[in-house]
Amino acid sequence: MPIERSTYKDHVVKYIYDGMRENRYKAGEKILESHLAKELGISRAPIREALADLVRSGLLEYKPQVGNFVTSLSSIDLIDSYIARGVLEGFAVAQGIDSFTEEELKQLEEMAHKMGTFARDGKHKALIDIGQEFHEKLFSHCTNGQVVLFTEQLSLKLHLLFYKHWARVYSPKEICDRHLELIDAVRKKDPVLLEQVIRSHYFDTGLKIVEQEKTNINTMKGITDDN
Amino acid sequence: MPIERSTYKDHVVKYIYDGMRENRYKAGEKILESHLAKELGISRAPIREALADLVRSGLLEYKPQVGNFVTSLSSIDLIDSYIARGVLEGFAVAQGIDSFTEEELKQLEEMAHKMGTFARDGKHKALIDIGQEFHEKLFSHCTNGQVVLFTEQLSLKLHLLFYKHWARVYSPKEICDRHLELIDAVRKKDPVLLEQVIRSHYFDTGLKIVEQEKTNINTMKGITDDN
DNA sequence: ACCACCCATAATGTCGACAATCTACAATCT
DNA sequence: AGATTGTAGATTGTCGACATTATGGGTGGT
């Protein structure tokens, strides 16, 4: 089943990305170039370029002369990434704090309430989508291209590796309240406070996901030794 | 003159990087794969990988079906990059603010004074080197791998594209004073103040470099129309 | 003289094959 | 038996050539 034409590399990137979303690649697993090449009916050259791209975005890790492996973030890496995102997004939103209109804030509030509702109704997909939209809107006033770039990079990585957790780490009420808190901080036009709120938002989320992962592992494999 | 063995890609990356440092590639210029291949006596495959790597670090820009071009940052991009670096480094240093020993602070002060001296004596190379070292030391207490990664990425890009300016945008006394100011902020153990100081440090630098570039262009080409 | 179209040229995108290197298993030695 | 070394298979790194696409100049028409 060969791919549509345009430039193979991008297709391959998307193919692997989707594969990771559908859990067809497990963390730490090795990705074989020749395997993909046969699977997609193309040569190894575009495959290699795609893999290099994914290494660049942090989704794969590369060992010279050995191969590419699906990134498995340690707890430390995970929390670091969430912290970094908090720092960047905090700055981004704070920088544009004055350009938010009351109408936008109302929209954001509405979205926060919707998120609570979706969470209560177990509509995880809708919850995740609107969560993404919420943060994009918050972020939309940032004019700093470099900050946007880094944040998108982090967002991509974290979204892919941990979007399954998002709906479970907070209770529906918590989800709604935490996002309303962000909006209030924007309303107060206090950049320092706002940055602090956003940073702790992401820091807490990172921590909770790590905790949940740990308990998951324990319940799945029985209580193993903690190396 | 083929290259030493180990893995060609890295050698090619270094080759192009050095070439940019020595101004052998002008901003906006197109990089031809085949030229490099002949120049280094190897095939195009590792060249392509190296170019893709440089695109990732922001040193080159890539247009599909067209080629790779030496990045030429607009004034906006340049300032954005300096701001982003200020945000990241500010957080990094603030995060480790409590782990600085008095001995380290003394070393940093000594370095700041040396920088002033080097600037006065016109030792630009030494000034740049010790400046790098200063910021590395400030940065060394940051345990967040993600933040370190982004900052190094920015540092690489900015260093390469603008290290020629560093020695000229501030007077010797300003150089020394501004860095002493940073150290004082660390001493005060006030993370918020520290972040603010570091941010404005980079913001000012970005602004000054942009200004200097503009006057350079005007004096070199005569007063041209401003498109 | 100017514009549109076509073609030659050259550069990138892709390919299949070979070379260098790593991994795993088996044979040998202590 | 355990450890070490050697070898075979598989995988990545590199190569040269072909296919496809952008670019520039020239030709013809208005």
Side-chain angles (χ1 to χ4, degrees):
Chain A
M1 28 250 59
I3 324 177
E4 306 275 76
R5 269 209 73 78
S6 87
T7 167
Y8 287 171
K9 185 188 67 175
D10 303 323
H11 288 276
V12 177
V13 167
K14 183 163 176 27
Y15 179 81
I16 300 176
Y17 183 86
D18 289 342
M20 293 176 75
R21 253 185 99 127
E22 295 161 17
N23 249 351
R24 298 197 296 108
Y25 300 104
K26 297 164 191 169
E29 180 182 339
K30 186 172 179 182
I31 305 268
L32 296 193
E33 298 174 356
S34 33
H35 198 266
L36 275 171
K38 270 196 180 168
E39 213 167 317
L40 300 176
I42 60 180
S43 97
R44 275 175 52 221
I47 305 279
R48 283 175 67 83
E49 296 190 5
L51 292 177
D53 261 28
L54 288 165
V55 169
R56 279 156 212 151
S57 43
L59 265 38
L60 298 181
E61 278 173 9
Y62 166 73
K63 292 185 190 174
Q65 318 281 23
V66 177
N68 296 279
F69 301 83
V70 178
T71 297
S72 68
L73 290 189
S74 70
S75 302
I76 299 287
D77 294 333
L78 173 58
I79 291 182
D80 281 358
S81 295
Y82 270 102
I83 289 176
R85 182 162 179 194
V87 171
L88 289 165
E89 186 163 322
F91 169 78
V93 180
Q95 185 224 26
I97 197 170
D98 289 322
S99 46
F100 280 93
T101 65
E102 183 56 32
E103 189 190 339
E104 281 178 307
L105 293 174
K106 284 251 192 304
Q107 287 175 5
L108 284 168
E109 277 171 357
E110 198 179 323
M111 290 165 78
H113 285 112
K114 267 190 196 169
M115 287 167 76
T117 311
F118 286 147
R120 246 183 303 276
D121 298 348
K123 296 179 179 174
H124 289 181
K125 178 75 167 55
L127 169 60
I128 289 167
D129 285 347
I130 205 168
Q132 192 96 343
E133 203 187 324
F134 181 93
H135 284 281
E136 271 168 22
K137 197 166 192 63
L138 258 188
F139 206 80
S140 62
H141 289 84
C142 177
T143 58
N144 188 313
Q146 189 66 66
V147 171
V148 171
L149 199 70
F150 282 151
T151 307
E152 280 175 354
Q153 215 171 307
L154 275 175
S155 174
L156 179 74
K157 183 166 76 172
L158 294 176
H159 186 5
L160 179 57
L161 295 174
F162 297 99
Y163 77 105
K164 306 148 208 153
H165 298 275
W166 287 3
R168 286 186 282 171
V169 291
Y170 293 117
S171 75
K173 179 159 172 38
E174 276 176 325
I175 290 180
C176 177
D177 288 350
R178 292 182 71 84
H179 286 84
L180 288 177
E181 193 187 354
L182 292 187
I183 300 168
D184 280 343
V186 176
R187 269 227 176 72
K188 284 181 187 147
K189 307 283 185 208
D190 179 347
V192 177
L193 170 70
L194 179 57
E195 284 205 47
Q196 201 254 314
V197 170
I198 292 183
R199 285 185 187 185
S200 47
H201 174 84
Y202 278 108
F203 181 63
D204 291 349
T205 304
L207 270 187
K208 293 224 176 194
I209 288 180
V210 167
E211 274 175 33
Q212 196 196 322
E213 279 218 320
K214 276 187 185 159
T215 61
N216 267 3
I217 289 169
N218 287 344
T219 52
M220 282 172 63
K221 312 181 75 168
I223 290 94
T224 62
D225 50 348
D226 42 348
N227 51 352
Chain B
M1 22 244 67
I3 323 179
E4 307 275 76
R5 267 212 72 78
S6 86
T7 167
Y8 287 173
K9 184 189 68 176
D10 303 322
H11 288 278
V12 177
V13 167
K14 184 163 173 27
Y15 179 81
I16 300 175
Y17 184 87
D18 289 343
M20 293 177 75
R21 251 185 101 126
E22 294 161 17
N23 248 352
R24 298 197 294 108
Y25 301 104
K26 298 164 191 168
E29 181 182 339
K30 187 172 179 183
I31 306 267
L32 294 192
E33 298 174 357
S34 30
H35 278 195
L36 277 170
K38 270 197 179 170
E39 215 167 316
L40 300 176
I42 60 180
S43 95
R44 274 174 53 222
I47 305 279
R48 284 175 66 83
E49 297 193 4
L51 292 177
D53 259 30
L54 289 166
V55 168
R56 167 180 58 128
S57 42
L59 266 39
L60 298 182
E61 279 173 8
Y62 167 72
K63 291 186 191 174
Q65 318 281 21
V66 177
N68 297 279
F69 300 82
V70 178
T71 297
S72 68
L73 289 189
S74 71
S75 302
I76 299 287
D77 293 334
L78 173 58
I79 290 182
D80 281 357
S81 295
Y82 270 102
I83 289 177
R85 181 162 181 195
V87 171
L88 289 166
E89 186 163 321
F91 169 78
V93 181
Q95 185 224 25
I97 197 170
D98 290 322
S99 46
F100 281 93
T101 66
E102 184 56 32
E103 190 190 340
E104 281 178 307
L105 293 175
K106 285 252 192 301
Q107 287 175 5
L108 285 168
E109 277 172 357
E110 198 179 322
M111 290 164 79
H113 286 111
K114 266 190 195 168
M115 288 167 77
T117 310
F118 286 148
R120 246 182 302 276
D121 298 349
K123 296 179 179 173
H124 289 181
K125 178 74 167 54
L127 170 59
I128 289 167
D129 285 347
I130 205 168
Q132 193 96 340
E133 202 187 326
F134 181 92
H135 284 280
E136 271 168 22
K137 198 167 192 63
L138 259 189
F139 207 80
S140 62
H141 288 84
C142 177
T143 58
N144 187 313
Q146 189 66 64
V147 171
V148 171
L149 199 71
F150 281 151
T151 307
E152 279 174 355
Q153 216 170 307
L154 274 175
S155 173
L156 178 75
K157 182 166 76 172
L158 293 175
H159 188 348
L160 177 58
L161 295 174
F162 298 98
Y163 77 105
K164 307 147 206 152
H165 299 275
W166 288 3
R168 286 185 282 171
V169 291
Y170 293 117
S171 74
K173 180 162 171 35
E174 275 176 325
I175 290 179
C176 177
D177 288 349
R178 292 184 71 85
H179 286 84
L180 288 177
E181 193 186 355
L182 292 187
I183 300 168
D184 280 343
V186 176
R187 270 228 175 72
K188 284 181 187 147
K189 307 285 185 209
D190 178 346
V192 177
L193 170 69
L194 179 56
E195 285 205 46
Q196 201 252 314
V197 170
I198 293 182
R199 285 184 187 186
S200 47
H201 174 83
Y202 278 108
F203 181 62
D204 291 349
T205 305
L207 271 186
K208 293 223 178 196
I209 288 180
V210 167
E211 274 174 33
Q212 195 195 322
E213 279 218 321
K214 277 188 185 157
T215 62
N216 266 4
I217 289 169
N218 287 344
T219 53
M220 281 171 64
K221 312 180 76 167
I223 291 94
T224 62
D225 49 348
D226 41 348
N227 50 353

